[in-house]
Amino acid sequence: MYMNTNTRIIAPEFDFAQPKSLDEGFALMDEHGADARLIAGGTDLLVQMKMERISPAWVISLARIDELRAITAGKGLSLGAMASIKEVSVAAPVKAGYAALAEACNAYSTVSIMLMGTIGGNICNASPAADTAPALLAFDAVAVVKSARGSRRVAMADFFAGPGKSALKPGEILTAIELPEPAAGSGSAFLKISRVVADISQVCVGVSLVRDGDRITDCRIALGSVAPTPIRIAGAEAALGGQKGGDAVFDKAAEIAARDIKPISDARASESYRRHAARIIVRDALKTAWQRAAEGAAK
Amino acid sequence: MIQVKMTVNGKEKSGEVEGRTLLASFLRDTLGLTGTHVGCDTGQCGACTVHVDGVAVKSCNMLAAEADGASVDTIEGQAAPDGTLNAIQQAFQDHHGLQCGFCTPGMVMSAAALLKDNPRPSEAEIRFHLSGNICRCTGYHNIVKAIMAASGQDVSAIAAE
């Protein structure tokens, strides 16, 4: 297949619009349908357009819709889809209550890409390697999706449909990502393995658990770069629910995760390496989250 | 065609661009500001780093139309009008922070963004901040030294080679 590898310019022409309100954005999306692509930070989309993997007739920027940038904490946390990865990484409520998400944002490529890339763009791009996805899955986040016809809420577990495919339907815009308030005794952690910091992950994991004394009362474990979409590992979560926390059960859950993922071999890592690395980082992330949950309870 | 207006290094500039025109192309080809270099063009090397409304961005990875109305700062605006280098540029010269010089405009602009937010960064903070700027001559130690020096800090503790 012909593949343009010249990335100096965007060769195909397109029209460009910067709506100032969501309603204006919906009207443009409805008018141009499948010919239009939304652009957020552009760190993924423009590179794909240079390589002619995507050649939309219209590019619609969300950068001028101010309401999409807000990060608001109340009961839980709402992240505007256009909040930059950097803004999310330094937001006080993220650092205080959602450690795995702060860590995922800090592991997200380099500083200049963190400044340009957005939380909404990261998940709408629907890469199996999206760094924020395992963290958002571990927190049971919900995507708030709006269109001219109304709004709906999509659980993060239902948001990823395949490599590059999200649950968004034509005319819809992701406006925010909502994270529920962490239960008392919660702890979380995110770990990523990549060749250098600028690379996407070979494997990454986000975990969140609730600790009651020496028991794990709730747990979510999600991995990236190990399947066609970021995924939760139900078997590993079930192995921990109600158990006494400790190295033995964390090792067991990590083994199940390494077994149940469906990694491929590609330029970044082999299948066997991904399984090996997944087992280690799942175990380590669980230990860290467990420790953090204890520290939280002590306060 | 799209009409854009932006303040570039303090001066009002305007022009016509296509939707597909990258900010780096507009700066280089339309405004003739060729100090902004284009290396990888995939957002990895950082040679095209400029400031848009005070935020360091990779200008090869932004459409010119997206910068309409913004204030843009490039390497050309760093020295004084009479050519006197600013503190960061002078420190790059003093500490041999460049070899071939291709990455230097991006390095200086990234360093400027760092020092604006963090006037006395640690060596580790400098290295983390520059992770999106690649130097093919691999002269990183002297670049880090230059930025330490530009922020008024002792550079003797940084590895020599």
Side-chain angles (χ1 to χ4, degrees), chain A residues 7-8 10-11 14 18 42-43 46 50 64 110 112 116, chain B residues 19-20 38-41 43 58 60-61 65-66 68 131-132:
Chain A
T7 58
R8 310 297 294 186
I10 300 172
F14 57 86
Q18 290 194 102
T43 56
L46 291 181
K50 289 176 185 177
R64 303 288 162 100
T110 59
S112 37
M116 298 178 81
Chain B
R20 61 182 177 164
V38 177
C40 68
D41 226 344
K58 299 193 175 189
C60 81
N61 218 61
E66 290 180 283
D68 181 34
S131 55

mmCIF file with all atom_site columns, all heavy atoms in Angstrom, chain A residues 7-8 10-11 14 18 42-43 46 50 64 110 112 116, chain B residues 19-20 38-41 43 58 60-61 65-66 68 131-132:
data_model
loop_
_atom_site.group_PDB
_atom_site.id
_atom_site.type_symbol
_atom_site.label_atom_id
_atom_site.label_alt_id
_atom_site.label_comp_id
_atom_site.label_asym_id
_atom_site.label_entity_id
_atom_site.label_seq_id
_atom_site.pdbx_PDB_ins_code
_atom_site.Cartn_x
_atom_site.Cartn_y
_atom_site.Cartn_z
_atom_site.occupancy
_atom_site.B_iso_or_equiv
_atom_site.pdbx_formal_charge
_atom_site.auth_seq_id
_atom_site.auth_comp_id
_atom_site.auth_asym_id
_atom_site.auth_atom_id
_atom_site.pdbx_PDB_model_num
ATOM 1   N N   . THR A 1 7   ? 6.913   13.897 5.945  1.00 0.00 ? 7   THR A N   1
ATOM 2   C CA  . THR A 1 7   ? 6.117   14.574 6.966  1.00 0.00 ? 7   THR A CA  1
ATOM 3   C C   . THR A 1 7   ? 6.392   16.071 7.019  1.00 0.00 ? 7   THR A C   1
ATOM 4   O O   . THR A 1 7   ? 6.068   16.742 7.985  1.00 0.00 ? 7   THR A O   1
ATOM 5   C CB  . THR A 1 7   ? 6.398   13.977 8.360  1.00 0.00 ? 7   THR A CB  1
ATOM 6   O OG1 . THR A 1 7   ? 7.794   14.114 8.630  1.00 0.00 ? 7   THR A OG1 1
ATOM 7   C CG2 . THR A 1 7   ? 6.002   12.525 8.422  1.00 0.00 ? 7   THR A CG2 1
ATOM 8   N N   . ARG A 1 8   ? 7.033   16.620 5.969  1.00 0.00 ? 8   ARG A N   1
ATOM 9   C CA  . ARG A 1 8   ? 7.384   18.045 6.018  1.00 0.00 ? 8   ARG A CA  1
ATOM 10  C C   . ARG A 1 8   ? 6.151   18.945 5.964  1.00 0.00 ? 8   ARG A C   1
ATOM 11  O O   . ARG A 1 8   ? 6.153   20.024 6.526  1.00 0.00 ? 8   ARG A O   1
ATOM 12  C CB  . ARG A 1 8   ? 8.318   18.418 4.851  1.00 0.00 ? 8   ARG A CB  1
ATOM 13  C CG  . ARG A 1 8   ? 9.507   17.514 4.693  1.00 0.00 ? 8   ARG A CG  1
ATOM 14  C CD  . ARG A 1 8   ? 10.429  17.546 5.881  1.00 0.00 ? 8   ARG A CD  1
ATOM 15  N NE  . ARG A 1 8   ? 11.082  18.839 6.068  1.00 0.00 ? 8   ARG A NE  1
ATOM 16  C CZ  . ARG A 1 8   ? 12.010  19.063 6.962  1.00 0.00 ? 8   ARG A CZ  1
ATOM 17  N NH1 . ARG A 1 8   ? 12.386  18.078 7.771  1.00 0.00 ? 8   ARG A NH1 1
ATOM 18  N NH2 . ARG A 1 8   ? 12.573  20.229 7.086  1.00 0.00 ? 8   ARG A NH2 1
ATOM 19  N N   . ILE A 1 10  ? 1.601   19.126 5.203  1.00 0.00 ? 10  ILE A N   1
ATOM 20  C CA  . ILE A 1 10  ? 0.352   18.385 5.023  1.00 0.00 ? 10  ILE A CA  1
ATOM 21  C C   . ILE A 1 10  ? -0.020  18.596 3.564  1.00 0.00 ? 10  ILE A C   1
ATOM 22  O O   . ILE A 1 10  ? -0.365  19.711 3.154  1.00 0.00 ? 10  ILE A O   1
ATOM 23  C CB  . ILE A 1 10  ? -0.753  18.920 5.954  1.00 0.00 ? 10  ILE A CB  1
ATOM 24  C CG1 . ILE A 1 10  ? -0.297  18.783 7.413  1.00 0.00 ? 10  ILE A CG1 1
ATOM 25  C CG2 . ILE A 1 10  ? -2.049  18.157 5.715  1.00 0.00 ? 10  ILE A CG2 1
ATOM 26  C CD1 . ILE A 1 10  ? -1.229  19.463 8.412  1.00 0.00 ? 10  ILE A CD1 1
ATOM 27  N N   . ALA A 1 11  ? 0.090   17.543 2.769  1.00 0.00 ? 11  ALA A N   1
ATOM 28  C CA  . ALA A 1 11  ? -0.132  17.713 1.325  1.00 0.00 ? 11  ALA A CA  1
ATOM 29  C C   . ALA A 1 11  ? -1.603  17.951 0.964  1.00 0.00 ? 11  ALA A C   1
ATOM 30  O O   . ALA A 1 11  ? -1.913  18.901 0.240  1.00 0.00 ? 11  ALA A O   1
ATOM 31  C CB  . ALA A 1 11  ? 0.451   16.528 0.568  1.00 0.00 ? 11  ALA A CB  1
ATOM 32  N N   . PHE A 1 14  ? -7.482  21.152 3.042  1.00 0.00 ? 14  PHE A N   1
ATOM 33  C CA  . PHE A 1 14  ? -8.714  20.993 3.820  1.00 0.00 ? 14  PHE A CA  1
ATOM 34  C C   . PHE A 1 14  ? -9.179  22.366 4.268  1.00 0.00 ? 14  PHE A C   1
ATOM 35  O O   . PHE A 1 14  ? -8.419  23.332 4.255  1.00 0.00 ? 14  PHE A O   1
ATOM 36  C CB  . PHE A 1 14  ? -8.482  20.074 5.034  1.00 0.00 ? 14  PHE A CB  1
ATOM 37  C CG  . PHE A 1 14  ? -7.390  20.542 5.973  1.00 0.00 ? 14  PHE A CG  1
ATOM 38  C CD1 . PHE A 1 14  ? -7.660  21.448 6.984  1.00 0.00 ? 14  PHE A CD1 1
ATOM 39  C CD2 . PHE A 1 14  ? -6.084  20.068 5.824  1.00 0.00 ? 14  PHE A CD2 1
ATOM 40  C CE1 . PHE A 1 14  ? -6.652  21.881 7.847  1.00 0.00 ? 14  PHE A CE1 1
ATOM 41  C CE2 . PHE A 1 14  ? -5.075  20.498 6.681  1.00 0.00 ? 14  PHE A CE2 1
ATOM 42  C CZ  . PHE A 1 14  ? -5.358  21.409 7.689  1.00 0.00 ? 14  PHE A CZ  1
ATOM 43  N N   . GLN A 1 18  ? -12.796 27.314 13.508 1.00 0.00 ? 18  GLN A N   1
ATOM 44  C CA  . GLN A 1 18  ? -12.588 27.382 14.960 1.00 0.00 ? 18  GLN A CA  1
ATOM 45  C C   . GLN A 1 18  ? -13.845 27.905 15.620 1.00 0.00 ? 18  GLN A C   1
ATOM 46  O O   . GLN A 1 18  ? -13.938 29.096 15.912 1.00 0.00 ? 18  GLN A O   1
ATOM 47  C CB  . GLN A 1 18  ? -11.418 28.314 15.304 1.00 0.00 ? 18  GLN A CB  1
ATOM 48  C CG  . GLN A 1 18  ? -10.078 27.774 14.905 1.00 0.00 ? 18  GLN A CG  1
ATOM 49  C CD  . GLN A 1 18  ? -8.922  28.536 15.549 1.00 0.00 ? 18  GLN A CD  1
ATOM 50  O OE1 . GLN A 1 18  ? -8.332  28.067 16.508 1.00 0.00 ? 18  GLN A OE1 1
ATOM 51  N NE2 . GLN A 1 18  ? -8.583  29.691 15.020 1.00 0.00 ? 18  GLN A NE2 1
ATOM 52  N N   . GLY A 1 42  ? -3.651  18.382 18.621 1.00 0.00 ? 42  GLY A N   1
ATOM 53  C CA  . GLY A 1 42  ? -3.041  18.153 17.303 1.00 0.00 ? 42  GLY A CA  1
ATOM 54  C C   . GLY A 1 42  ? -1.806  17.268 17.311 1.00 0.00 ? 42  GLY A C   1
ATOM 55  O O   . GLY A 1 42  ? -1.260  16.968 16.253 1.00 0.00 ? 42  GLY A O   1
ATOM 56  N N   . THR A 1 43  ? -1.371  16.826 18.509 1.00 0.00 ? 43  THR A N   1
ATOM 57  C CA  . THR A 1 43  ? -0.095  16.099 18.552 1.00 0.00 ? 43  THR A CA  1
ATOM 58  C C   . THR A 1 43  ? -0.175  14.736 17.864 1.00 0.00 ? 43  THR A C   1
ATOM 59  O O   . THR A 1 43  ? 0.839   14.235 17.393 1.00 0.00 ? 43  THR A O   1
ATOM 60  C CB  . THR A 1 43  ? 0.376   15.906 20.011 1.00 0.00 ? 43  THR A CB  1
ATOM 61  O OG1 . THR A 1 43  ? -0.649  15.251 20.737 1.00 0.00 ? 43  THR A OG1 1
ATOM 62  C CG2 . THR A 1 43  ? 0.688   17.243 20.656 1.00 0.00 ? 43  THR A CG2 1
ATOM 63  N N   . LEU A 1 46  ? -2.255  15.806 13.541 1.00 0.00 ? 46  LEU A N   1
ATOM 64  C CA  . LEU A 1 46  ? -1.493  16.465 12.475 1.00 0.00 ? 46  LEU A CA  1
ATOM 65  C C   . LEU A 1 46  ? -0.401  15.552 11.925 1.00 0.00 ? 46  LEU A C   1
ATOM 66  O O   . LEU A 1 46  ? -0.112  15.574 10.726 1.00 0.00 ? 46  LEU A O   1
ATOM 67  C CB  . LEU A 1 46  ? -0.899  17.794 12.963 1.00 0.00 ? 46  LEU A CB  1
ATOM 68  C CG  . LEU A 1 46  ? -1.934  18.892 13.237 1.00 0.00 ? 46  LEU A CG  1
ATOM 69  C CD1 . LEU A 1 46  ? -1.245  20.175 13.687 1.00 0.00 ? 46  LEU A CD1 1
ATOM 70  C CD2 . LEU A 1 46  ? -2.798  19.170 12.015 1.00 0.00 ? 46  LEU A CD2 1
ATOM 71  N N   . LYS A 1 50  ? -0.078  14.462 8.102  1.00 0.00 ? 50  LYS A N   1
ATOM 72  C CA  . LYS A 1 50  ? 1.139   14.606 7.294  1.00 0.00 ? 50  LYS A CA  1
ATOM 73  C C   . LYS A 1 50  ? 1.467   13.297 6.581  1.00 0.00 ? 50  LYS A C   1
ATOM 74  O O   . LYS A 1 50  ? 1.946   13.294 5.457  1.00 0.00 ? 50  LYS A O   1
ATOM 75  C CB  . LYS A 1 50  ? 2.317   15.014 8.192  1.00 0.00 ? 50  LYS A CB  1
ATOM 76  C CG  . LYS A 1 50  ? 2.245   16.446 8.705  1.00 0.00 ? 50  LYS A CG  1
ATOM 77  C CD  . LYS A 1 50  ? 3.407   16.696 9.661  1.00 0.00 ? 50  LYS A CD  1
ATOM 78  C CE  . LYS A 1 50  ? 3.303   18.077 10.304 1.00 0.00 ? 50  LYS A CE  1
ATOM 79  N NZ  . LYS A 1 50  ? 4.382   18.294 11.281 1.00 0.00 ? 50  LYS A NZ  1
ATOM 80  N N   . ARG A 1 64  ? -11.046 27.132 20.811 1.00 0.00 ? 64  ARG A N   1
ATOM 81  C CA  . ARG A 1 64  ? -11.651 28.421 21.193 1.00 0.00 ? 64  ARG A CA  1
ATOM 82  C C   . ARG A 1 64  ? -12.935 28.260 22.004 1.00 0.00 ? 64  ARG A C   1
ATOM 83  O O   . ARG A 1 64  ? -13.614 29.246 22.276 1.00 0.00 ? 64  ARG A O   1
ATOM 84  C CB  . ARG A 1 64  ? -11.939 29.256 19.933 1.00 0.00 ? 64  ARG A CB  1
ATOM 85  C CG  . ARG A 1 64  ? -10.714 29.527 19.060 1.00 0.00 ? 64  ARG A CG  1
ATOM 86  C CD  . ARG A 1 64  ? -9.782  30.523 19.725 1.00 0.00 ? 64  ARG A CD  1
ATOM 87  N NE  . ARG A 1 64  ? -8.451  30.481 19.131 1.00 0.00 ? 64  ARG A NE  1
ATOM 88  C CZ  . ARG A 1 64  ? -7.985  31.345 18.226 1.00 0.00 ? 64  ARG A CZ  1
ATOM 89  N NH1 . ARG A 1 64  ? -8.744  32.318 17.802 1.00 0.00 ? 64  ARG A NH1 1
ATOM 90  N NH2 . ARG A 1 64  ? -6.755  31.233 17.755 1.00 0.00 ? 64  ARG A NH2 1
ATOM 91  N N   . THR A 1 110 ? 6.918   14.126 26.345 1.00 0.00 ? 110 THR A N   1
ATOM 92  C CA  . THR A 1 110 ? 7.802   15.177 26.845 1.00 0.00 ? 110 THR A CA  1
ATOM 93  C C   . THR A 1 110 ? 7.006   16.429 27.209 1.00 0.00 ? 110 THR A C   1
ATOM 94  O O   . THR A 1 110 ? 5.832   16.540 26.867 1.00 0.00 ? 110 THR A O   1
ATOM 95  C CB  . THR A 1 110 ? 8.843   15.526 25.776 1.00 0.00 ? 110 THR A CB  1
ATOM 96  O OG1 . THR A 1 110 ? 8.152   15.957 24.608 1.00 0.00 ? 110 THR A OG1 1
ATOM 97  C CG2 . THR A 1 110 ? 9.682   14.303 25.431 1.00 0.00 ? 110 THR A CG2 1
ATOM 98  N N   . SER A 1 112 ? 6.836   19.514 26.209 1.00 0.00 ? 112 SER A N   1
ATOM 99  C CA  . SER A 1 112 ? 6.156   20.318 25.189 1.00 0.00 ? 112 SER A CA  1
ATOM 100 C C   . SER A 1 112 ? 4.929   19.598 24.625 1.00 0.00 ? 112 SER A C   1
ATOM 101 O O   . SER A 1 112 ? 3.951   20.241 24.226 1.00 0.00 ? 112 SER A O   1
ATOM 102 C CB  . SER A 1 112 ? 7.122   20.718 24.081 1.00 0.00 ? 112 SER A CB  1
ATOM 103 O OG  . SER A 1 112 ? 8.025   19.682 23.815 1.00 0.00 ? 112 SER A OG  1
ATOM 104 N N   . MET A 1 116 ? 0.808   20.690 24.822 1.00 0.00 ? 116 MET A N   1
ATOM 105 C CA  . MET A 1 116 ? -0.078  20.774 23.648 1.00 0.00 ? 116 MET A CA  1
ATOM 106 C C   . MET A 1 116 ? -1.195  19.740 23.702 1.00 0.00 ? 116 MET A C   1
ATOM 107 O O   . MET A 1 116 ? -2.336  20.021 23.368 1.00 0.00 ? 116 MET A O   1
ATOM 108 C CB  . MET A 1 116 ? 0.736   20.575 22.364 1.00 0.00 ? 116 MET A CB  1
ATOM 109 C CG  . MET A 1 116 ? 1.795   21.640 22.136 1.00 0.00 ? 116 MET A CG  1
ATOM 110 S SD  . MET A 1 116 ? 2.770   21.338 20.630 1.00 0.00 ? 116 MET A SD  1
ATOM 111 C CE  . MET A 1 116 ? 1.670   21.991 19.373 1.00 0.00 ? 116 MET A CE  1
ATOM 112 N N   . GLY B 2 19  ? -5.632  26.303 5.235  1.00 0.00 ? 19  GLY B N   1
ATOM 113 C CA  . GLY B 2 19  ? -5.912  25.525 6.441  1.00 0.00 ? 19  GLY B CA  1
ATOM 114 C C   . GLY B 2 19  ? -4.721  24.663 6.805  1.00 0.00 ? 19  GLY B C   1
ATOM 115 O O   . GLY B 2 19  ? -4.372  24.514 7.971  1.00 0.00 ? 19  GLY B O   1
ATOM 116 N N   . ARG B 2 20  ? -4.069  24.102 5.787  1.00 0.00 ? 20  ARG B N   1
ATOM 117 C CA  . ARG B 2 20  ? -2.985  23.132 6.034  1.00 0.00 ? 20  ARG B CA  1
ATOM 118 C C   . ARG B 2 20  ? -1.644  23.783 6.356  1.00 0.00 ? 20  ARG B C   1
ATOM 119 O O   . ARG B 2 20  ? -0.669  23.080 6.626  1.00 0.00 ? 20  ARG B O   1
ATOM 120 C CB  . ARG B 2 20  ? -2.822  22.242 4.802  1.00 0.00 ? 20  ARG B CB  1
ATOM 121 C CG  . ARG B 2 20  ? -2.454  23.036 3.561  1.00 0.00 ? 20  ARG B CG  1
ATOM 122 C CD  . ARG B 2 20  ? -2.337  22.138 2.347  1.00 0.00 ? 20  ARG B CD  1
ATOM 123 N NE  . ARG B 2 20  ? -2.055  22.954 1.155  1.00 0.00 ? 20  ARG B NE  1
ATOM 124 C CZ  . ARG B 2 20  ? -1.614  22.459 0.023  1.00 0.00 ? 20  ARG B CZ  1
ATOM 125 N NH1 . ARG B 2 20  ? -1.406  21.167 -0.100 1.00 0.00 ? 20  ARG B NH1 1
ATOM 126 N NH2 . ARG B 2 20  ? -1.398  23.249 -1.010 1.00 0.00 ? 20  ARG B NH2 1
ATOM 127 N N   . VAL B 2 38  ? 13.069  23.348 11.421 1.00 0.00 ? 38  VAL B N   1
ATOM 128 C CA  . VAL B 2 38  ? 12.188  22.198 11.318 1.00 0.00 ? 38  VAL B CA  1
ATOM 129 C C   . VAL B 2 38  ? 13.058  20.956 11.157 1.00 0.00 ? 38  VAL B C   1
ATOM 130 O O   . VAL B 2 38  ? 13.777  20.822 10.173 1.00 0.00 ? 38  VAL B O   1
ATOM 131 C CB  . VAL B 2 38  ? 11.207  22.347 10.139 1.00 0.00 ? 38  VAL B CB  1
ATOM 132 C CG1 . VAL B 2 38  ? 10.353  21.084 10.008 1.00 0.00 ? 38  VAL B CG1 1
ATOM 133 C CG2 . VAL B 2 38  ? 10.309  23.559 10.349 1.00 0.00 ? 38  VAL B CG2 1
ATOM 134 N N   . GLY B 2 39  ? 13.008  20.090 12.168 1.00 0.00 ? 39  GLY B N   1
ATOM 135 C CA  . GLY B 2 39  ? 13.848  18.896 12.133 1.00 0.00 ? 39  GLY B CA  1
ATOM 136 C C   . GLY B 2 39  ? 13.044  17.676 11.746 1.00 0.00 ? 39  GLY B C   1
ATOM 137 O O   . GLY B 2 39  ? 12.992  17.275 10.593 1.00 0.00 ? 39  GLY B O   1
ATOM 138 N N   . CYS B 2 40  ? 12.347  17.096 12.731 1.00 0.00 ? 40  CYS B N   1
ATOM 139 C CA  . CYS B 2 40  ? 11.653  15.826 12.467 1.00 0.00 ? 40  CYS B CA  1
ATOM 140 C C   . CYS B 2 40  ? 10.295  16.047 11.838 1.00 0.00 ? 40  CYS B C   1
ATOM 141 O O   . CYS B 2 40  ? 9.819   15.244 11.066 1.00 0.00 ? 40  CYS B O   1
ATOM 142 C CB  . CYS B 2 40  ? 11.478  15.074 13.779 1.00 0.00 ? 40  CYS B CB  1
ATOM 143 S SG  . CYS B 2 40  ? 10.327  15.852 14.939 1.00 0.00 ? 40  CYS B SG  1
ATOM 144 N N   . ASP B 2 41  ? 9.641   17.151 12.195 1.00 0.00 ? 41  ASP B N   1
ATOM 145 C CA  . ASP B 2 41  ? 8.288   17.451 11.722 1.00 0.00 ? 41  ASP B CA  1
ATOM 146 C C   . ASP B 2 41  ? 7.229   16.487 12.238 1.00 0.00 ? 41  ASP B C   1
ATOM 147 O O   . ASP B 2 41  ? 6.139   16.407 11.702 1.00 0.00 ? 41  ASP B O   1
ATOM 148 C CB  . ASP B 2 41  ? 8.241   17.512 10.195 1.00 0.00 ? 41  ASP B CB  1
ATOM 149 C CG  . ASP B 2 41  ? 7.474   18.742 9.720  1.00 0.00 ? 41  ASP B CG  1
ATOM 150 O OD1 . ASP B 2 41  ? 6.745   19.342 10.533 1.00 0.00 ? 41  ASP B OD1 1
ATOM 151 O OD2 . ASP B 2 41  ? 7.592   19.098 8.541  1.00 0.00 ? 41  ASP B OD2 1
ATOM 152 N N   . GLY B 2 43  ? 6.882   16.278 15.792 1.00 0.00 ? 43  GLY B N   1
ATOM 153 C CA  . GLY B 2 43  ? 6.660   16.656 17.184 1.00 0.00 ? 43  GLY B CA  1
ATOM 154 C C   . GLY B 2 43  ? 7.631   16.034 18.159 1.00 0.00 ? 43  GLY B C   1
ATOM 155 O O   . GLY B 2 43  ? 7.381   16.022 19.354 1.00 0.00 ? 43  GLY B O   1
ATOM 156 N N   . LYS B 2 58  ? 5.448   23.149 19.809 1.00 0.00 ? 58  LYS B N   1
ATOM 157 C CA  . LYS B 2 58  ? 6.197   22.734 18.630 1.00 0.00 ? 58  LYS B CA  1
ATOM 158 C C   . LYS B 2 58  ? 5.451   23.272 17.411 1.00 0.00 ? 58  LYS B C   1
ATOM 159 O O   . LYS B 2 58  ? 4.341   22.826 17.108 1.00 0.00 ? 58  LYS B O   1
ATOM 160 C CB  . LYS B 2 58  ? 6.317   21.220 18.624 1.00 0.00 ? 58  LYS B CB  1
ATOM 161 C CG  . LYS B 2 58  ? 7.068   20.762 19.878 1.00 0.00 ? 58  LYS B CG  1
ATOM 162 C CD  . LYS B 2 58  ? 7.524   19.336 19.859 1.00 0.00 ? 58  LYS B CD  1
ATOM 163 C CE  . LYS B 2 58  ? 8.346   19.061 21.105 1.00 0.00 ? 58  LYS B CE  1
ATOM 164 N NZ  . LYS B 2 58  ? 9.031   17.792 21.134 1.00 0.00 ? 58  LYS B NZ  1
ATOM 165 N N   . CYS B 2 60  ? 5.805   22.993 14.312 1.00 0.00 ? 60  CYS B N   1
ATOM 166 C CA  . CYS B 2 60  ? 5.531   22.100 13.179 1.00 0.00 ? 60  CYS B CA  1
ATOM 167 C C   . CYS B 2 60  ? 4.263   21.305 13.433 1.00 0.00 ? 60  CYS B C   1
ATOM 168 O O   . CYS B 2 60  ? 3.794   20.579 12.573 1.00 0.00 ? 60  CYS B O   1
ATOM 169 C CB  . CYS B 2 60  ? 6.692   21.136 12.937 1.00 0.00 ? 60  CYS B CB  1
ATOM 170 S SG  . CYS B 2 60  ? 6.675   19.706 14.045 1.00 0.00 ? 60  CYS B SG  1
ATOM 171 N N   . ASN B 2 61  ? 3.772   21.408 14.661 1.00 0.00 ? 61  ASN B N   1
ATOM 172 C CA  . ASN B 2 61  ? 2.649   20.573 15.043 1.00 0.00 ? 61  ASN B CA  1
ATOM 173 C C   . ASN B 2 61  ? 1.428   21.418 15.395 1.00 0.00 ? 61  ASN B C   1
ATOM 174 O O   . ASN B 2 61  ? 0.592   21.028 16.188 1.00 0.00 ? 61  ASN B O   1
ATOM 175 C CB  . ASN B 2 61  ? 3.050   19.714 16.241 1.00 0.00 ? 61  ASN B CB  1
ATOM 176 C CG  . ASN B 2 61  ? 2.461   18.346 16.141 1.00 0.00 ? 61  ASN B CG  1
ATOM 177 O OD1 . ASN B 2 61  ? 2.751   17.636 15.194 1.00 0.00 ? 61  ASN B OD1 1
ATOM 178 N ND2 . ASN B 2 61  ? 1.606   18.001 17.066 1.00 0.00 ? 61  ASN B ND2 1
ATOM 179 N N   . ALA B 2 65  ? -3.394  28.798 11.375 1.00 0.00 ? 65  ALA B N   1
ATOM 180 C CA  . ALA B 2 65  ? -4.724  29.357 11.658 1.00 0.00 ? 65  ALA B CA  1
ATOM 181 C C   . ALA B 2 65  ? -5.085  29.205 13.133 1.00 0.00 ? 65  ALA B C   1
ATOM 182 O O   . ALA B 2 65  ? -5.858  29.992 13.672 1.00 0.00 ? 65  ALA B O   1
ATOM 183 C CB  . ALA B 2 65  ? -5.776  28.672 10.786 1.00 0.00 ? 65  ALA B CB  1
ATOM 184 N N   . GLU B 2 66  ? -4.526  28.188 13.790 1.00 0.00 ? 66  GLU B N   1
ATOM 185 C CA  . GLU B 2 66  ? -4.798  28.011 15.220 1.00 0.00 ? 66  GLU B CA  1
ATOM 186 C C   . GLU B 2 66  ? -4.149  29.111 16.052 1.00 0.00 ? 66  GLU B C   1
ATOM 187 O O   . GLU B 2 66  ? -4.553  29.344 17.190 1.00 0.00 ? 66  GLU B O   1
ATOM 188 C CB  . GLU B 2 66  ? -4.265  26.650 15.703 1.00 0.00 ? 66  GLU B CB  1
ATOM 189 C CG  . GLU B 2 66  ? -5.023  25.457 15.176 1.00 0.00 ? 66  GLU B CG  1
ATOM 190 C CD  . GLU B 2 66  ? -4.446  24.160 15.702 1.00 0.00 ? 66  GLU B CD  1
ATOM 191 O OE1 . GLU B 2 66  ? -3.386  23.717 15.207 1.00 0.00 ? 66  GLU B OE1 1
ATOM 192 O OE2 . GLU B 2 66  ? -5.045  23.581 16.617 1.00 0.00 ? 66  GLU B OE2 1
ATOM 193 N N   . ASP B 2 68  ? -4.046  32.247 15.162 1.00 0.00 ? 68  ASP B N   1
ATOM 194 C CA  . ASP B 2 68  ? -4.655  33.544 14.838 1.00 0.00 ? 68  ASP B CA  1
ATOM 195 C C   . ASP B 2 68  ? -5.001  34.281 16.131 1.00 0.00 ? 68  ASP B C   1
ATOM 196 O O   . ASP B 2 68  ? -5.627  33.718 17.025 1.00 0.00 ? 68  ASP B O   1
ATOM 197 C CB  . ASP B 2 68  ? -5.921  33.309 13.999 1.00 0.00 ? 68  ASP B CB  1
ATOM 198 C CG  . ASP B 2 68  ? -6.591  34.619 13.622 1.00 0.00 ? 68  ASP B CG  1
ATOM 199 O OD1 . ASP B 2 68  ? -5.868  35.618 13.402 1.00 0.00 ? 68  ASP B OD1 1
ATOM 200 O OD2 . ASP B 2 68  ? -7.840  34.643 13.551 1.00 0.00 ? 68  ASP B OD2 1
ATOM 201 N N   . SER B 2 131 ? 13.483  17.119 27.578 1.00 0.00 ? 131 SER B N   1
ATOM 202 C CA  . SER B 2 131 ? 13.366  15.785 26.979 1.00 0.00 ? 131 SER B CA  1
ATOM 203 C C   . SER B 2 131 ? 12.703  15.831 25.608 1.00 0.00 ? 131 SER B C   1
ATOM 204 O O   . SER B 2 131 ? 12.842  14.900 24.818 1.00 0.00 ? 131 SER B O   1
ATOM 205 C CB  . SER B 2 131 ? 12.611  14.837 27.920 1.00 0.00 ? 131 SER B CB  1
ATOM 206 O OG  . SER B 2 131 ? 11.358  15.395 28.267 1.00 0.00 ? 131 SER B OG  1
ATOM 207 N N   . GLY B 2 132 ? 12.015  16.909 25.299 1.00 0.00 ? 132 GLY B N   1
ATOM 208 C CA  . GLY B 2 132 ? 11.409  17.048 23.972 1.00 0.00 ? 132 GLY B CA  1
ATOM 209 C C   . GLY B 2 132 ? 12.263  17.831 23.001 1.00 0.00 ? 132 GLY B C   1
ATOM 210 O O   . GLY B 2 132 ? 11.787  18.246 21.941 1.00 0.00 ? 132 GLY B O   1
#
